[in-house]
Amino acid sequence: MSRTRPTSNKKHEEPSGPPAKQVDTTPTPIGFGHFRKHQKLMLGAAVVFSIVAFALFPSVGNMSSALGGDDAGIVGRFEVPLSGEQVDVTDIEYSRVSRNIGRLAGEVTADDVWSHLMLMADAKAAGLMIADTEMAQELSSGLRQAFGLERDLSRQEYEAFCASRGFSGPRGFEDAWREQLLVGRYVTFMSMGAQVVDSEQVYLRWRVDNERFDFVAAVFDDLELEAVADPSEDDLLAWYEAIPEGQRENRFQDPAKRDIVYAALALDTELETLPQDKLGALTETPDAQVESRFNQVRRERFPDDEEMTDEIRAVLAREVRVIDYAQSAWQAFNELPEEEQLTERFTLVMGEYGLTVEDPEGLLEPEDVKQLPLLGDDRFSNWVTYMQPGRSQVVRPYGEVVHVGVFFVEEGVEARPLDYEEGREQIVTAWKEEQRDRPAQDFRAALVERARALPQAQEEIAPLIAAAEAAAEERLADQPEGDEPLDADAIRAEELELIEADISDRVAQYEHLVWDDVLAAEGSATLLSFEGVPKSYRRNPDEEEAVDSIERFVKTNTTVFAQGVDSLTPVLRQAAQGRSAVVRVTGRELPEKPEMYVDAEGMANARRSLAMQRRFEENQAFTPEQLKATHKLQLVVRDEGEDGGEDWGEGEGSDADEGESDQT
């Protein structure tokens, strides 16, 4: 049967001669009558084809393989760990997932696609699914949140949204979203399952956290800054240049300066003296806010009171009221149009609220801010330093501070790094500060020197020294004739310097043997002994112990708990208190399991910490690299030669597809 040729808009010349006979070439549709006429022939042919097909190809997969090759259309394959099933991924499936991820998330890489495919297979093998009702709820809440609506999208809005994401309709979007939810559910399911730990595992973790340590500490008073002699120029410059450049820029600066105006209100202000119209606009003070205030200031102001008395409650309730009142004054200023937030308006608003206003003259450095009346302290200084001109802030009082404040920054100059010449005064001070622990450092150096002189230490390090000297002799012997002679002493010193770290490590095991002798010769150290201090002491310190005490400092220092028995720490400096210590660990003991059961908080911490660790480890299994390894991902590597052959490559090669969203 011939087909009619489509007509063209172009003009053609009419052929000469008589017109040809017109033939109707319109295709005749095959109707039911035609089928009835030839049904026996058609059904017979279908049966014969089916028998032949199933005889030659027992499965549809084999038939497709025979028609297109064993790996026709397959871009990769992987194994599902849960079931052992091998999954072949066709280019059609790969492209479908790639397009869907791109439509939902924007950018897509090959790792994204393969991770999705492998996790989808895992979720199905685990028997997980997303019910239609759950799917509807997720879509409803997600779209409401995305559009900031309190209602569901209309049908027209929903279809427009799906189209905007590149989907032909809601069905395609929902299928893609369902897969994302299923993958997310599987990852969550596996992560939560990893957090289930038994009591034996919890005990092992609790035991490590609560190992008991015995140790002694030799404590030294640091030198006063004035007692430290000035360094030589060479020593100072060498010390300065050894500091990384970024640290130097942050450490030695012309500090930031701010011109500020501030207002303050005493916490013991009688509420009756404040403007009642403004005070009356405040809401009532909740009891929880008073409780919070008590917890903030109890250690400094009420150290002997575990709970609030009625008298303390009355005092703190008034303080909270005063703080809220100052907050309302700041809000009144802060709500002004930005162009009206100027010094004059700040002074006017604060005065209307009855706050005392102070306007220090000029740009103030952090040290100047600390000396200001009413609000001057370290915390206020830090606030001011980081605030930009034109901004204001409330300074809430903590500890023993007796005023609540509001400040406004008029102008500012940012910090500027200083070079060596400009910052020399700061550099000298910093160098001296590091030398203040010299008594402790000298004690530590004496321990090393005496330990190194022991016969057993000398025997230990003799091979190292011999090897270094041999290396030096070899360098001297290899010197070309005619060159200027090398300095033999300098060469030996260089080789010995290279092994100094190894020598220190080997000598360290003998330092405890000379501890008592060096301590007795020192004479100025204070010796403190500690027994059975748990490694977790940092989380649960003795509340009766002073926070700034040397005992608290040593018992919470992590360096101590990293030492073995008869090991010594380096110098530990408590700079704020002007003290330094060297600690010697004398014993370690793991607690028994029954002790864990009476430590409910410690056991809960161990369980929680272990669960978090297991969850982190499980999440690492979902990285693309781990998924490729556990699923034995293989990719088809297609040769571009004349024969167009194929080969299988490891999954690590999948990055070659990175960035392709619609094809492999």
Side-chain angles (χ1 to χ4, degrees):
M1 186 185 300
S2 62
R3 295 187 178 181
T4 57
R5 182 182 302 276
T7 59
S8 172
N9 292 329
K10 295 184 179 180
K11 295 182 179 181
H12 298 274
E13 295 182 359
E14 294 293 334
S16 59
K21 181 179 179 181
Q22 299 295 319
V23 180
D24 184 8
T25 58
T26 303
T28 303
I30 299 177
F32 182 72
H34 186 85
F35 174 77
R36 292 279 297 177
K37 180 178 179 181
H38 303 286
Q39 61 177 324
K40 291 184 179 181
L41 179 61
M42 295 172 69
L43 291 176
V47 170
V48 171
F49 177 79
S50 300
I51 293 173
V52 173
F54 281 100
L56 295 176
F57 315 111
S59 68
V60 175
N62 289 339
M63 182 166 63
S64 64
S65 298
L67 293 174
D70 288 344
D71 298 322
I74 296 176
V75 294
R77 63 170 53 122
F78 58 85
E79 183 178 298
V80 182
L82 288 175
S83 63
E85 175 190 5
Q86 180 176 284
V87 177
D88 291 340
V89 179
T90 66
D91 52 1
I92 296 175
E93 176 67 2
Y94 182 96
S95 296
R96 180 192 70 81
V97 171
S98 180
R99 282 193 299 271
N100 285 345
I101 295 176
R103 290 163 177 169
L104 292 175
E107 297 182 0
V108 59
T109 66
D111 279 348
D112 297 331
V113 178
W114 286 113
S115 296
H116 180 91
L117 288 165
M118 289 184 281
L119 290 173
M120 272 291 296
D122 290 344
K124 292 177 180 178
L128 300 181
M129 61 175 293
I130 303 295
D132 292 341
T133 53
E134 183 180 1
M135 177 70 180
Q137 291 173 355
E138 290 285 347
L139 276 177
S140 176
S141 61
L143 292 174
R144 285 186 180 193
Q145 183 177 359
F147 288 94
L149 300 175
E150 296 183 358
R151 61 171 178 83
D152 289 332
L153 297 181
S154 66
R155 182 69 183 180
Q156 292 76 13
E157 291 171 332
Y158 182 40
E159 290 177 348
F161 166 75
C162 295
S164 71
R165 305 303 297 179
F167 293 96
S168 59
R171 177 64 180 272
F173 169 72
E174 291 168 9
D175 288 345
W177 188 244
R178 187 188 297 271
E179 288 188 2
Q180 294 292 331
L181 291 177
L182 186 58
V183 167
R185 168 165 293 182
Y186 175 73
V187 171
T188 301
F189 172 78
M190 296 301 292
S191 297
M192 295 299 291
Q195 296 182 68
V196 179
V197 293
D198 58 34
S199 62
E200 190 62 30
Q201 294 171 325
V202 173
Y203 166 62
L204 294 176
R205 180 54 183 259
W206 176 88
R207 185 178 68 167
V208 171
D209 292 342
N210 291 272
E211 185 178 3
R212 309 285 196 258
F213 281 71
D214 300 334
F215 46 87
V216 292
V219 181
F220 299 83
D221 291 328
D222 290 346
L223 299 174
E224 295 296 332
L225 194 64
E226 297 76 14
V228 180
D230 289 340
S232 68
E233 193 65 27
D234 290 342
D235 289 345
L236 184 65
L237 183 59
W239 177 83
Y240 172 79
E241 291 180 342
I243 302 174
E245 184 177 358
Q247 293 183 24
R248 293 202 303 258
E249 291 179 353
N250 291 328
R251 190 172 182 181
F252 307 116
Q253 295 183 338
D254 182 18
K257 303 177 182 65
R258 296 291 185 266
D259 186 2
I260 67 169
V261 56
Y262 67 96
L265 189 62
L267 294 179
D268 60 358
T269 299
E270 296 294 338
L271 300 179
E272 293 77 12
T273 64
L274 300 173
Q276 295 302 299
D277 58 328
K278 302 185 185 302
L279 183 65
L282 299 179
T283 58
E284 290 297 323
T285 302
D287 290 339
Q289 202 169 343
V290 180
E291 293 279 354
S292 177
R293 177 69 180 163
F294 176 71
N295 292 331
Q296 292 169 359
V297 302
R298 181 177 68 83
R299 186 182 299 276
E300 294 84 2
R301 293 174 55 186
F302 312 107
D304 299 328
D305 296 285
E306 292 294 331
E307 298 181 358
M308 275 193 297
T309 63
D310 291 341
E311 182 180 359
I312 294 176
R313 183 178 294 276
V315 170
L316 296 183
R318 179 181 61 192
E319 290 184 4
V320 171
R321 194 75 169 164
V322 170
I323 294 170
D324 288 347
Y325 181 77
Q327 176 85 18
S328 69
W330 172 75
Q331 287 176 340
F333 174 75
N334 199 50
E335 289 171 358
L336 293 173
E338 189 170 342
E339 62 272 11
E340 296 184 23
Q341 294 184 22
L342 304 172
T343 303
E344 294 76 12
R345 290 300 300 272
F346 180 86
T347 302
L348 179 62
V349 171
M350 296 301 128
E352 290 176 351
Y353 275 78
L355 277 69
T356 301
V357 180
E358 298 282 348
D359 189 1
E361 185 176 351
L363 293 167
L364 305 178
E365 295 185 3
E367 290 301 319
D368 300 326
V369 176
K370 293 177 184 179
Q371 306 305 318
L372 291 175
L374 305 181
L375 291 182
D377 63 13
D378 290 344
R379 194 169 55 86
F380 181 47
S381 172
N382 292 334
W383 274 96
V384 171
T385 301
Y386 291 104
M387 289 295 289
Q388 295 301 311
R391 304 303 297 263
S392 60
Q393 185 62 51
V394 177
V395 183
R396 292 178 169 270
Y398 294 95
E400 297 180 350
V401 179
V402 295
H403 287 82
V404 57
V406 185
F407 70 89
F408 173 70
V409 179
E410 302 176 79
E411 296 181 58
V413 175
E414 299 307 320
R416 178 180 64 86
L418 301 176
D419 59 25
Y420 180 76
E421 294 300 331
E422 290 178 307
R424 192 178 187 286
E425 183 178 349
Q426 291 185 24
I427 296 168
V428 170
T429 301
W431 182 89
K432 285 186 173 184
E433 182 64 35
E434 287 197 3
Q435 309 306 311
R436 290 184 59 197
D437 64 351
R438 180 52 53 196
Q441 293 289 358
D442 290 343
F443 172 73
R444 192 68 182 83
L447 287 167
V448 174
E449 184 180 358
R450 292 284 294 273
R452 185 167 179 168
L454 292 174
Q456 54 267 55
Q458 286 292 309
E459 183 179 354
E460 182 85 21
I461 65 177
L464 296 177
I465 296 175
E469 291 178 344
E473 293 298 332
E474 185 176 349
R475 288 176 60 186
L476 292 171
D478 290 342
Q479 182 182 6
E481 294 184 7
D483 287 359
E484 184 178 349
L486 296 174
D487 186 335
D489 291 338
I491 295 298
R492 291 188 180 92
E494 287 179 10
E495 293 296 331
L496 290 173
E497 181 66 27
L498 293 175
I499 64 168
E500 190 58 39
D502 290 337
I503 289 177
S504 297
D505 289 342
R506 299 197 182 190
V507 170
Q509 61 185 308
Y510 303 108
E511 291 174 350
H512 70 283
L513 298 176
V514 299
W515 171 272
D516 292 335
D517 293 339
V518 176
L519 193 63
E522 167 56 40
S524 64
T526 300
L527 194 64
L528 302 177
S529 297
F530 305 88
E531 292 184 358
V533 180
K535 186 187 282 189
S536 61
Y537 185 84
R538 186 185 187 91
R539 294 196 300 267
N540 302 288
D542 183 356
E543 293 187 1
E544 301 299 324
E545 191 175 66
V547 176
D548 58 354
S549 66
I550 187 64
E551 290 82 2
R552 172 69 67 85
F553 172 73
V554 171
K555 289 158 67 176
T556 58
N557 196 298
T558 55
T559 304
V560 174
F561 299 99
Q563 306 302 315
V565 175
D566 285 332
S567 294
L568 278 62
T569 68
V571 173
L572 309 176
R573 188 175 179 208
Q574 190 183 22
Q577 305 304 320
R579 290 187 291 251
S580 300
V582 178
V583 178
R584 172 190 170 189
V585 174
T586 58
R588 295 174 59 167
E589 182 182 9
L590 293 170
E592 297 296 330
K593 193 172 185 179
E595 296 181 50
M596 179 183 73
Y597 295 121
V598 298
D599 181 15
E601 182 179 357
M603 185 167 61
N605 287 335
R607 186 184 301 278
R608 184 163 48 250
S609 177
L610 185 59
M612 291 177 62
Q613 176 185 336
R614 294 292 175 79
R615 183 172 185 177
F616 172 79
E617 293 170 352
E618 182 64 30
N619 286 339
Q620 293 300 107
F622 299 126
T623 62
E625 292 73 18
Q626 285 297 317
L627 288 173
K628 293 172 190 176
T630 57
H631 290 70
K632 302 176 183 176
L633 175 64
Q634 291 181 301
L635 304 179
V636 173
V637 181
R638 304 189 185 280
D639 294 333
E640 305 212 355
E642 295 180 359
D643 59 352
E646 297 179 353
D647 197 4
W648 288 97
E650 295 298 326
E652 286 75 3
S654 65
D655 288 341
D657 296 330
E658 191 165 320
E660 299 180 9
S661 59
D662 292 329
Q663 60 185 5
T664 58

